[in-house]
């Protein structure tokens, strides 16, 4: 019996895959690593599979779609394997419905993945106390079984006369193709001399059936069978590809934005069948052909990108190119601009001072928000709402400047706009929980969905803003999602904030992403702020040689800088690698923009620069400055040592540099603040609100609910991650920070 089991069709197929199908196995291994949390956990990728969301809900239907995607992936695997290796098992020709039986016996790998997926999915749902677990499991299983039934029904009916006739017509056409016939005959000849011993196969309902080898068949019959299944595979591949195209065309329709887990499986299915087709037709040359295709695609996309860059900043005019040269950078950073901007911002400071009694010097607050994706957005807004509840409008009213990076600035910008709206409509309650729910909505699903269904290949859709047109890339969907989630109140241009800032109705906000070309900051503000490009001022005899930043408004003045969409500026400040693409600006050469966190993830640097420029006015007109730092990462962490494998040692230099980037910035910011006490004559204070992930990682914590989950660095948060962020404001550390701020404001 063991001998019969070892030489059974399922076991021999598994052995063959382990020997010859490493590329296909790698795709399954990658998905397995994701659902088990071994890949992308810090970015929240596993939660896209374990807590799949559709139309803002995690329910039966969302997992039904994921199950359907898994069904498509499983059938794509079977089709690809059947075309590539089906001819090696001649006994299939003697069986009724050979493809169905091949699929049943080829199901060990998909079945193993499905079981691992179900186990981790159920465990995750129970560990974090989510409800309706078995209802969601039923959705996943229903989608999988339903899609498999659709496929098997199709293959069953392809044995009807009309499909046989169609297959015969295809066979006749293929006969005319001498190259195709030559490959098929070669494979059959190879099979005769390289047989794989199979003594039994798995037969439904669940038993092993011995194989008889006394059947007779001829090569022409075999060729007809494989021709017919080539046609079936072509139809399935075409339908899957067409489905992706349709999803791509209508990807801005919310109902078409299926869960990322489902769309990624469909994309992998298409790629799997494409690789299978190339391997079938080109055999030993398949690797070369794939590399050649990639080179051709890369060259064509590069040529198109030179004419019109794909990842654009909405609102700017790409028909004109700004001169991006060292000479122009230095020419713009001149003393005339410096003095004019210094004078204009001093007037804003005066307007800010006029809000308070002349006999009382107020504290000036700089709000500095750290980057960190959706986690930082929600944490920043949560802190600002808590401050609003505790102190009324006192904190935001005394805030002169907001700086920061990535998601933190999105949360800060939303709060600032709500404060502006409240001044126009007294009915708005800034601390309303619905605003926190708005900023916490999923943005990763439409972002990755747009990437999978459009950005990777179908770059033809465009969107118009006035007389300008832009490619409808995933950045467009990311921005639209922010705007719709925040009820359209952030749908503004950069210039729309110039007057409210100038009148000191709202704090100034400086957005400063990193310029990859030269490492400088791109300083984006509705005000002219050339004084931050060279904070030391100007010597009358000699201009500074090292310009520390480029002022956006002046540099791109002829490209309609003031028309830049404000959310685009926030997005440029939050370009997370591979997820939100680097923005290319209309200059010659093209200026490429990346996340502000690359230079300063906490916004302290810009705030200290601003303080230095206006140190005399601020010390004379305030009772001190409070740096209110809202961090989504823990400043001080417990030291620990990680045991490293050989592979860890290979990649540890890069991991160590990236892992310590924010810690290096912590040290630099501390030094800047300490040094500021030597040149600033007023009082400086630092109040920090921290998202302490270590507290959530502890089994029991008196400050936080046990079900709260540490939040990943992603643009999507699970319900338990949101709960952890919401409750973090009540931990002892942040309570102490609240008391410290209260005392400072009372002084």
């Amino acid at each position: 019996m063991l001998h019969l089991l070892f030489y059974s069709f399922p076991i021999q197929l598994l052995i063959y895959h382990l020997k010859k199908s490493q590329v296909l196995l790698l795709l399954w291994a990658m998905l397995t690593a994701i659902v088990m949390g071994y890949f992308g956990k810090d970015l929240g990728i596993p939660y896209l599979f374990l807590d799949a969301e559709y139309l803002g809900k995690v329910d039966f239907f969302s997992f039904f779609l994921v199950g359907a995607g898994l069904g498509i992936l499983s059938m794509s695997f079977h089709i690809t394997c059947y075309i590539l290796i089906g001819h090696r098992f001649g006994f299939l020709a003697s069986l009724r419905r050979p493809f169905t039986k091949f699929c049943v016996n080829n199901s060990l790998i998909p079945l193993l993945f499905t079981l691992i997926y179900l186990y981790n999915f159920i465990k995750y749902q129970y560990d974090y106390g989510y409800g309706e677990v078995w209802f969601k499991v039923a959705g996943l299983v229903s989608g999988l079984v339903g899609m498999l039934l659709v496929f098997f029904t199709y293959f069953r009916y392809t044995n009807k006369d009309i499909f046989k006739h169609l297959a015969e017509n295809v066979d006749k056409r293929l006969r005319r193709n001498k190259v195709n016939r030559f490959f098929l005959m070669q494979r059959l000849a190879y099979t005769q001399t390289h047989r794989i011993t199979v003594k039994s196969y798995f037969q439904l309902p669940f038993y092993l059936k011995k194989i008889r080898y006394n059947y007779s068949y001829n090569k022409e019959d075999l060729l007809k069978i494989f021709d017919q299944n080539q046609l079936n595979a072509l139809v399935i591949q075409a339908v899957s590809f067409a489905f992706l195209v349709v999803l791509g065309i209508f990807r801005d329709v919310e109902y078409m934005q299926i869960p990322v887990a489902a769309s990624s499986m469909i994309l992998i299915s298409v790629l799997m069948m494409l690789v299978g087709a190339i391997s079938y037709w080109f055999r030993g040359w398949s690797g070369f052909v794939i590399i050649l295709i990639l080179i051709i695609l890369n060259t064509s996309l590069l040529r198109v990108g030179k004419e019109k860059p794909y990842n654009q900043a909405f609102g700017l005019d790409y028909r004109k190119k700004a001169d991006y040269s060292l000479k122009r950078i230095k020419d713009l950073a001149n003393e005339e601009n410096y003095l004019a901007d210094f004078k204009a911002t001093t007037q804003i400071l005066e307007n800010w001072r006029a809000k308070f009694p002349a006999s009382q010097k107020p504290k000036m607050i700089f709000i500095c928000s750290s980057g960190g994706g959706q986690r930082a957005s929600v944490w920043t807004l949560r802190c600002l709402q808590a401050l609003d509840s505790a102190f009324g409008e006192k904190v935001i009213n005394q805030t002169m400047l907001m700086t920061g990076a990535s998601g933190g600035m999105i949360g800060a910008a939303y709060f600032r706009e709500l404060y502006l709206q409240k001044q126009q409509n007294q009915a708005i309650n800034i601390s309303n929980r619905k605003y926190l729910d708005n900023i916490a909505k999923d943005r990763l699903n439409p972002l990755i969905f747009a990437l999978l269904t459009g950005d990777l290949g179908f770059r033809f859709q465009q969107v118009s803003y006035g007389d300008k047109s832009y490619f409808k890339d995933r950045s467009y969907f990311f921005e639209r999602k922010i705007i719709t989630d925040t009820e359209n109140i952030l749908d503004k241009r950069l210039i729309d904030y110039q007057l409210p800032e100038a009148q000191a109705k709202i704090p100034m906000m400086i957005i400063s992403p990193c310029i990859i070309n030269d490492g400088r900051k791109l300083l984006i503000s509705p005000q002219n702020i050339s004084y931050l490009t060279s904070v030391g001022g100007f010597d009358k005899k000699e201009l500074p040689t090292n310009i520390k930043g480029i002022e956006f408004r002046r540099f791109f003045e002829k490209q309609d800088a003031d028309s830049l969409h404000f959310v685009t500026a926030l997005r440029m400040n939050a370009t997370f690698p591979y997820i939100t693409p680097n923005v290319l600006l209309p200059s010659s050469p093209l200026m490429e923009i990346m996340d502000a966190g690359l230079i300063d993830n906490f916004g302290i640097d810009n705030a200290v620069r601003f303080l230095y420029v206006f140190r005399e006015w601020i010390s004379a007109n305030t009772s001190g400055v409070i740096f209110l730092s809202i961090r989504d990462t823990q400043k001080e962490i417990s030291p620990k040592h990680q045991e490293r494998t050989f592979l860890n040692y290979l990649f540890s230099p890069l991991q160590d540099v990236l892992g310590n980037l924010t810690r290096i910035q912590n040290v630099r910011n501390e030094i800047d603040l300490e040094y500021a006490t030597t040149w600033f004559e007023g009082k400086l204070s630092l109040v920090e609100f921290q998202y302490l992930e270590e507290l959530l990682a502890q089994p029991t914590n008196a400050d936080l609910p046990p079900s709260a989950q540490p939040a990943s660095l992603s643009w999507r948060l699970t319900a338990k991650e949101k709960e952890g962020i919401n409750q973090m404001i009540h931990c002892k550390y942040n309570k102490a920070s609240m008391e410290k701020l209260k005392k400072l404001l009372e002084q």
Side-chain angles (χ1 to χ4, degrees):
M1 183 62 184
L2 290 177
H3 183 75
L4 193 65
L5 180 63
F6 179 78
Y7 287 103
S8 65
F9 197 19
I11 299 300
Q12 291 303 308
L13 278 171
L14 179 62
I15 293 173
Y16 185 89
H17 288 321
L18 293 173
K19 290 171 60 178
K20 301 289 187 180
S21 306
Q22 288 85 357
V23 175
L24 299 182
L25 293 181
L26 183 63
L27 296 174
W28 287 109
M30 181 182 68
L31 288 174
T32 303
I34 290 174
V35 299
M36 294 182 70
Y38 295 136
F39 177 81
K41 187 174 182 179
D42 291 339
L43 303 178
I45 294 177
Y47 306 135
L48 297 174
F49 290 78
L50 303 177
D51 200 44
E53 184 175 310
Y54 177 65
L55 298 178
K57 297 179 180 178
V58 179
D59 55 12
F60 174 92
F61 196 62
S62 67
F63 277 100
F64 178 87
L65 293 173
V66 176
L70 179 56
I72 294 173
L73 177 61
S74 300
M75 287 306 302
S76 300
F77 175 69
H78 294 319
I79 292 169
T80 302
C81 293
Y82 188 72
I83 291 176
L84 291 178
I85 64 175
H87 63 280
R88 302 195 60 138
F89 304 94
F91 72 91
L92 288 171
S94 67
L95 303 180
R96 193 165 174 262
R97 299 195 183 97
F99 178 72
T100 302
K101 291 181 172 60
F102 178 88
C103 293
V104 171
N105 286 269
N106 193 47
S107 295
L108 281 180
I109 293 172
L111 179 61
L112 180 61
F113 170 76
T114 302
L115 293 176
I116 293 173
Y117 184 14
L118 281 172
Y119 170 78
N120 285 276
F121 161 58
I122 294 171
K123 184 177 184 299
Y124 171 82
Q125 294 286 324
Y126 271 117
D127 284 350
Y128 292 102
Y130 291 105
E132 300 181 337
V133 177
W134 293 106
F135 195 56
K136 297 170 188 174
V137 171
L140 180 67
V141 174
S142 299
L144 172 60
V145 173
M147 186 55 65
L148 292 178
L149 287 175
V150 169
F151 276 109
F152 282 121
T153 301
Y154 166 76
F155 281 107
R156 178 178 181 180
Y157 280 102
T158 55
N159 289 324
K160 293 291 184 180
D161 292 342
I162 184 172
F163 287 97
K164 285 184 178 180
H165 178 69
L166 183 59
E168 289 175 1
N169 288 338
V170 172
D171 181 65
K172 290 177 182 178
R173 295 191 189 98
L174 290 173
R175 287 173 187 274
R176 301 190 194 110
N177 189 333
K178 294 182 180 181
V179 175
N180 182 56
R181 307 309 288 184
F182 173 74
F183 282 148
L184 285 171
M185 297 302 290
Q186 263 198 334
R187 287 176 180 266
L188 291 174
Y190 180 85
T191 302
Q192 297 298 320
T193 57
H194 297 77
R195 289 182 178 273
I196 298 176
T197 303
V198 178
K199 297 185 177 181
S200 63
Y201 66 92
F202 194 73
Q203 171 75 22
L204 293 176
F206 309 109
Y207 68 92
L208 285 176
K209 186 173 182 179
K210 289 185 178 180
I211 296 173
R212 61 180 183 85
Y213 280 94
N214 59 347
Y215 54 85
S216 61
Y217 64 90
N218 57 50
K219 292 181 179 180
E220 292 299 316
D221 290 335
L222 267 182
L223 290 176
K224 277 190 176 183
I225 291 172
F226 286 116
D227 288 346
Q228 179 177 333
N229 285 285
Q230 283 181 61
L231 172 64
N232 289 336
L234 181 64
V235 170
I236 298 301
Q237 189 172 20
V239 170
S240 299
F241 183 77
F243 183 60
L244 271 182
V245 172
V246 171
L247 289 178
I249 294 174
F250 297 101
R251 54 188 169 156
D252 51 348
V253 178
E254 189 177 13
Y255 289 96
M256 300 296 285
Q257 295 174 3
I258 63 176
V260 169
S263 57
S264 60
M265 288 180 182
I266 296 173
L267 178 64
I268 292 174
S269 302
V270 173
L271 295 176
M272 185 180 288
M273 289 191 287
L274 181 61
V275 170
I278 293 174
S279 300
Y280 177 80
W281 288 104
F282 296 98
R283 303 180 67 191
W285 289 89
S286 57
F288 171 77
V289 171
I290 291 174
I291 293 174
L292 184 63
I293 291 173
L294 291 175
I295 292 174
I296 293 173
L297 286 174
N298 180 66
T299 304
S300 61
L301 290 176
L302 183 62
R303 184 165 54 249
V304 173
K306 287 182 179 179
E307 298 171 0
K308 186 176 183 180
Y310 188 61
N311 301 313
Q312 301 168 311
F314 302 120
L316 294 186
D317 190 347
Y318 280 77
R319 294 167 294 190
K320 313 167 189 174
K321 295 290 189 294
D323 175 29
Y324 183 19
S325 63
L326 188 58
K327 180 181 181 302
R328 183 162 183 260
I329 293 172
K330 291 183 176 181
D331 288 344
L332 288 176
N334 58 66
E335 186 174 12
E336 181 181 354
N337 289 340
Y338 183 100
L339 294 175
D341 298 349
F342 181 88
K343 181 179 179 181
T345 303
T346 301
Q347 182 58 53
I348 297 177
L349 291 168
E350 294 286 354
N351 293 339
W352 175 87
R353 179 65 181 86
K355 296 190 297 183
F356 309 99
S359 59
Q360 178 185 358
K361 289 185 178 182
K363 292 281 187 182
M364 178 176 284
I365 299 175
F366 295 156
I367 294 178
C368 306
S369 306
S370 79
Q374 195 80 322
R375 180 178 69 193
S377 294
V378 179
W379 176 237
T380 296
L381 183 62
R382 178 69 180 100
C383 290
L384 293 176
Q385 284 188 324
L387 294 173
D388 183 74
S389 297
F391 304 108
E393 298 178 1
K394 190 171 186 178
V395 172
I396 187 65
N397 193 44
Q398 291 184 215
T399 299
M400 178 62 207
L401 180 67
M402 286 181 160
T403 63
S406 192
M409 286 295 275
I410 296 176
Y414 187 33
F415 184 85
R416 187 180 74 147
E417 176 60 34
L418 288 171
Y419 178 60
L420 179 62
Q421 295 278 328
K422 183 176 182 179
Q423 295 179 61
Q424 301 167 355
N425 179 7
Q426 295 298 325
I428 291 180
N429 177 15
I430 302 179
S431 299
N432 194 317
R433 176 61 187 264
K434 81 167 186 175
Y435 300 125
L436 195 65
D437 294 335
N438 287 345
I439 205 69
K441 289 180 180 178
D442 173 30
R443 291 186 195 101
L444 188 60
N445 197 77
L447 188 64
I448 301 298
F449 180 78
L451 170 65
L452 297 177
T453 58
D455 281 18
L456 290 180
F458 314 113
R459 299 185 171 193
F460 56 86
Q461 287 183 298
Q462 296 195 23
V463 61
S464 296
Y465 288 112
D467 61 339
K468 305 164 190 169
S469 63
Y470 306 90
F471 286 112
K472 191 183 285 188
D473 61 356
R474 62 185 183 277
S475 299
Y476 164 80
F477 293 96
F478 180 69
E479 291 188 22
R480 294 311 306 172
K481 192 65 168 62
I482 292 176
I483 291 171
T484 55
D485 286 348
T486 55
E487 301 174 301
N488 299 312
I489 65 173
L490 288 177
D491 191 10
K492 292 187 172 183
R493 302 169 301 162
L494 181 67
I495 195 64
D496 292 333
Y497 286 107
Q498 186 179 56
L499 186 59
E501 284 189 8
Q503 296 174 341
K505 290 184 176 180
I506 56 175
M508 288 180 61
M509 178 172 281
I510 297 175
I511 299 170
S512 56
C514 174
I515 303 173
I516 292 179
N517 308 62
D518 55 24
R520 293 184 174 91
K521 292 183 178 183
L522 182 65
L523 300 165
I524 304 174
S525 169
Q527 316 300 327
N528 287 327
I529 52 173
S530 63
Y531 46 77
L532 291 182
T533 65
S534 181
V535 296
F538 288 85
D539 188 284
K540 293 183 179 180
K541 298 179 181 179
E542 183 180 354
L543 291 176
T545 56
N546 184 20
I547 308 302
K548 301 172 180 63
I550 295 176
E551 187 192 359
F552 175 79
R553 283 193 72 209
R554 282 197 174 94
F555 192 88
F556 291 103
E557 183 179 5
K558 294 182 179 178
Q559 287 71 38
D560 296 343
D562 286 344
S563 296
L564 176 73
H565 279 232
F566 182 66
V567 175
T568 297
L570 294 174
R571 188 246 304 178
M572 290 164 63
N573 207 45
T575 51
F576 193 85
Y578 303 110
I579 306 299
T580 45
N582 295 342
V583 179
L584 297 174
L585 298 180
S587 62
S588 180
L590 290 171
M591 183 184 290
E592 189 171 358
I593 306 302
M594 194 175 177
D595 197 298
L598 190 64
I599 299 178
D600 181 21
N601 193 51
F602 305 101
I604 298 292
D605 182 63
N606 283 338
V608 171
R609 289 190 185 194
F610 186 91
L611 176 63
Y612 181 79
V613 173
F614 299 100
R615 60 191 180 279
E616 294 179 359
W617 188 97
I618 294 174
S619 63
N621 291 275
T622 71
S623 59
V625 174
I626 301 173
F627 283 81
L628 203 162
S629 177
I630 302 176
R631 302 171 52 97
D632 89 308
T633 55
Q634 195 162 329
K635 194 171 189 179
E636 296 180 344
I637 60 173
S638 302
K640 55 185 177 181
H641 174 70
Q642 179 183 358
E643 295 294 334
R644 290 176 174 171
T645 64
F646 175 72
L647 289 177
N648 291 142
Y649 275 108
L650 288 179
F651 295 103
S652 60
L654 179 61
Q655 292 173 346
D656 292 343
V657 170
L658 295 177
N660 285 294
L661 182 62
T662 56
R663 298 184 188 107
I664 293 171
Q665 293 180 6
N666 283 337
V667 174
R668 190 185 69 187
N669 289 339
E670 291 283 352
I671 293 173
D672 287 345
L673 288 172
E674 289 176 6
Y675 183 59
T677 60
T678 65
W679 48 255
F680 181 64
E681 296 181 1
K683 182 179 179 181
L684 291 181
S685 304
L686 175 65
V687 179
E688 294 178 312
F689 291 89
Q690 297 187 47
Y691 176 76
L692 302 170
E693 192 170 359
E694 283 190 1
L695 291 182
L696 291 169
Q698 295 173 4
T700 58
N701 189 291
D703 297 325
L704 304 172
S707 60
Q709 178 184 356
S712 55
L713 182 62
S714 174
W715 286 112
R716 180 182 185 271
L717 298 171
T718 65
K720 299 304 179 183
E721 288 176 329
K722 296 174 188 176
E723 181 181 357
I725 295 173
N726 186 51
Q727 296 297 327
M728 184 59 69
I729 196 69
H730 301 302
C731 75
K732 292 178 181 178
Y733 180 91
N734 291 319
K735 284 181 179 178
S737 296
M738 192 76 73
E739 286 299 317
K740 180 180 180 180
L741 180 61
K742 180 181 179 181
K743 292 179 181 179
L744 288 171
L745 292 175
E746 289 175 350
Q747 291 176 1

